Amino acid sequence: MDRTVIAYVIYLLVSIGLTIWVARTLSKNGRVFLADVLHGNEKLADAVNHLLVVGFYLVNLGFVALYLSDDETIIDARGIFEALSTKLGVVLLVLGVMHLANVYVLNRIRRRGAMEREQVPPVPPQGWVAPQAQA
């Protein structure tokens, strides 16, 4: 088997495995944020969480597929490691950026929900007062 094909197979296995691991971590821990933002609506939190995970998979696996091809022929074992380190390093950076973007978005949504809850008066109005004429 060609060494380039071996590098491709290793790259795909590691990249897909890392993508699945990060997506599961985001899904499990992001659900807590979503449940808080959505005022305990578990069903809606699960639905939004699932949509975010699907988007995460599509973006990352699309990038992995686009970044697969290489113009150089790998001659020896050293070439395999060099090609893999470059490709996997870029994939890890993209996964990290996507992870930080997800955390940022979830935190923004959570903050917005907290601010909306603070705008509700703690006690409902108990009466109405007519405006007074200014002197």
Side-chain angles (χ1 to χ4, degrees):
M1 187 183 293
D2 185 16
R3 287 183 176 90
T4 304
V5 174
I6 293 171
Y8 286 167
V9 169
I10 294 170
Y11 165 74
L12 284 173
L13 290 174
V14 173
S15 296
I16 291 170
L18 285 169
T19 300
I20 291 170
W21 175 70
V22 172
R24 285 185 178 175
T25 302
L26 287 173
S27 174
K28 186 175 82 174
N29 296 313
R31 187 180 178 285
V32 175
F33 283 107
L34 289 172
D36 182 46
V37 169
L38 300 171
H39 309 292
N41 188 343
E42 301 289 330
K43 197 170 184 179
L44 183 59
D46 287 338
V48 171
N49 195 22
H50 184 72
L51 291 173
L52 288 171
V53 169
V54 169
F56 184 83
Y57 277 130
L58 290 173
V59 169
N60 282 297
L61 294 177
F63 176 78
V64 166
L66 286 173
Y67 200 61
L68 176 66
S69 66
D70 197 0
D71 295 335
E72 297 179 22
T73 303
I74 298 174
I75 300 170
D76 54 2
R78 178 181 173 181
I80 291 174
F81 283 105
E82 289 174 354
L84 284 175
S85 68
T86 301
K87 288 189 174 295
L88 290 175
V90 172
V91 168
L92 286 170
L93 288 173
V94 169
L95 283 171
V97 168
M98 288 294 295
H99 171 71
L100 291 175
N102 259 344
V103 170
Y104 177 76
V105 168
L106 288 173
N107 195 34
R108 292 279 312 240
I109 292 170
R110 184 172 170 246
R111 279 189 191 173
R112 185 180 309 156
M115 289 179 71
E116 287 173 2
R117 283 189 295 248
E118 289 178 4
Q119 291 178 356
V120 176
V123 177
Q126 298 175 1
W128 183 80
V129 176
Q132 295 180 352
Q134 292 185 350

